[in-house]
Amino acid sequence: MRDIKALIVDDESLARERVRTLLAEAPGVTLLGECSGGREAVEAIVEERPDLVFLDVQMPDLDGFQVLEAVDHLPAIVFVTAYDEYALRAFEVHALDYLLKPIEPERFVRTLARVRETLGDKSDGRLEALLDTLPLDRLVVRTKGKVFFLKPSEIDWIEADGKHAKLHAGKETHVVRQQLQRLEPRLAPHGFVRVHRSAIVNVDRIKELEPWFHGEYVVILKDGTKLTSSAAHSEALHRIVEKG
């Protein structure tokens, strides 16, 4: 198995040093870097694509759970915190382990063994499959050297652009490194529906549906944008019409 690429995220320098020291004694792990805050962590995860992140829960800008909500690709997560009350929530977001500070070396070794076992099966797409079941509460947008977050409610519609997706939000358009087919199931809980193989729409932004040929519709958004639904994806729109 290739080396595991790891990232440490904690606002406490001593906590980062502790994990770093323990990792130095672990063969087969490459430390990509360290982050002292949540926003910095999001950017590092997007840029570096680590296999494993040791993640603190409480941080001054974004907490550990908000970091996970913000990233497009979910690495293996080990939470490292001084508080045990977040354990249940941590495993609800599919964390591999939950370490309490101060970390015992023996406990750390067991955690790494669990990580190796899981990442050894990473090629079967298991982690990606877990990610695809989680609602996406914010999208990370990188533009002009900055990183910011876009909530689904702020998006009008999304179109496919090869291996990327274009987010149309008001007068602005942003490109993210996500394929539409992966965004669709994660945005469905927020009221997004596919109208064409290359487009999904925020239902709250639909102003009017004009019947078209063969059960298709012309979808008119509140900002005047017009999209034509394909026959294969009109069933969801039929249901919207039936609900009034």
Side-chain angles (χ1 to χ4, degrees), residues 9-11 35-38 41 55-64 67:
V9 180
D10 201 307
D11 64 327
C35 301
S36 59
L55 183 61
D56 190 15
V57 175
Q58 292 190 341
M59 292 181 287
D61 46 9
L62 296 178
D63 66 34
V67 169

Side-chain angles (χ1 to χ4, degrees), residues 208-220 229 238 241:
E208 187 177 350
L209 296 175
E210 292 184 355
W212 199 241
F213 300 106
H214 309 297
E216 300 174 354
Y217 290 95
V218 174
V219 183
I220 304 174
S229 71
H238 281 303
V241 172

Side-chain angles (χ1 to χ4, degrees), residues 123-159:
S123 61
D124 67 4
R126 189 172 304 173
L127 293 182
E128 293 295 329
L130 287 176
L131 175 63
D132 288 342
T133 67
L134 300 176
L136 189 59
D137 293 327
R138 65 182 72 191
L139 288 92
V140 180
V141 176
R142 302 182 74 253
T143 180
K144 298 180 181 179
K146 297 182 179 180
V147 177
F148 67 94
F149 306 101
L150 199 62
K151 295 180 180 179
S153 60
E154 298 176 289
I155 301 171
D156 301 322
W157 67 288
I158 305 175
E159 65 176 316

Side-chain angles (χ1 to χ4, degrees), residues 1 4 26-29 111-121:
M1 179 181 173
I4 296 171
V29 179
T111 293
L112 276 185
R114 179 179 298 177
V115 169
R116 293 182 192 281
E117 180 181 358
T118 301
L119 293 183
D121 295 330

Side-chain angles (χ1 to χ4, degrees), residues 1-9 19 23 29-30 32 41 45 48-56 64 67-68 71-80 90-91 93-99 111-122 126-131 134:
M1 179 181 173
R2 65 176 175 80
D3 280 5
I4 296 171
K5 297 183 296 181
L7 182 71
I8 300 172
V9 180
V19 176
L23 282 178
V29 179
T30 298
L32 295 178
I45 292 171
E48 302 291 343
R49 299 290 291 272
D51 303 308
L52 170 65
V53 177
F54 292 93
L55 183 61
D56 190 15
V67 169
L68 296 187
V71 297
D72 296 334
H73 298 277
L74 188 68
I77 298 296
V78 172
F79 279 104
V80 182
F91 291 112
V93 296
H94 308 292
L96 293 186
D97 213 337
Y98 190 93
L99 296 175
T111 293
L112 276 185
R114 179 179 298 177
V115 169
R116 293 182 192 281
E117 180 181 358
T118 301
L119 293 183
D121 295 330
K122 190 174 181 180
R126 189 172 304 173
L127 293 182
E128 293 295 329
L130 287 176
L131 175 63
L134 300 176

